[in-house]
Amino acid sequence: MDTPLQVVCPHCDAINRVPTARLGDGPRCGGCRAALFEAKLAALSEARFRRHLKHSGIPLLVDFWASWCGPCRAMAPAFEAAARTLEPRLRLVKVSTEEAPQLAAELAIRSIPTLALFAGGREVARQAGALPAHGIVAWAGAHVPA
């Protein structure tokens, strides 16, 4: 029997249960009816990040960034391109360290951009510095729990 995973809607933050085998079938949110996976990044506040982290059954790949950071802006298109390859296996999100300084301090984000991979509510890998899309995909693929 196919075990359902919890998937947090990137639009309304509703928690949905989706069978693992159906993740790639274009599931929609039971709350707002939007697509759960659009191969687009979700920009999360601290509160939204905590909700996704707590309830997501799929790993979260987070880009911690700031609007004034040149390497962050340079990596943004690569991170977006990586989302097209990695979803629905992972959820790719962005968290601004300017808008969530307490979260950045709590997670000891010392440089930006920083990629952090979370699975099961815990951080499992971290990479500081800008990467090209293929580098993001390779790095994430090497660290996604089986």
Side-chain angles (χ1 to χ4, degrees):
M1 181 163 201
D2 193 17
T3 306
L5 292 175
Q6 287 190 161
V7 178
V8 183
C9 177
H11 304 283
C12 73
D13 298 327
I15 301 166
N16 296 270
R17 292 172 48 94
V18 180
T20 305
R22 306 274 329 252
L23 286 176
D25 294 345
R28 294 188 121 11
C29 176
C32 70
R33 305 304 301 156
L36 290 174
F37 298 103
E38 299 175 312
K40 292 182 181 176
L41 307 176
L44 302 181
S45 65
E46 180 176 341
R48 290 185 71 209
F49 167 79
R50 291 185 189 283
R51 181 169 176 81
H52 281 251
L53 182 64
K54 180 178 180 181
H55 296 289
S56 182
I58 59 173
L60 296 176
L61 179 54
V62 184
D63 174 16
F64 289 96
W65 71 288
S67 63
W68 52 263
C69 169
C72 297
R73 289 192 316 267
M75 188 177 82
F79 196 61
E80 183 102 23
R84 291 189 287 274
T85 302
L86 294 170
E87 279 195 357
R89 220 173 92 209
L90 284 84
R91 164 82 67 214
L92 278 71
V93 301
K94 296 177 76 72
V95 174
S96 169
T97 58
E98 293 173 297
E99 295 172 16
Q102 184 177 348
L103 178 63
E106 179 184 316
L107 295 174
I109 303 299
R110 304 268 186 256
S111 63
I112 51 175
T114 290
L115 295 178
L117 181 63
F118 296 86
R122 297 180 317 115
E123 184 177 336
V124 296
R126 182 179 289 203
Q127 168 70 44
L131 294 173
H134 65 85
I136 295 167
V137 171
W139 178 82
H143 293 93
V144 173

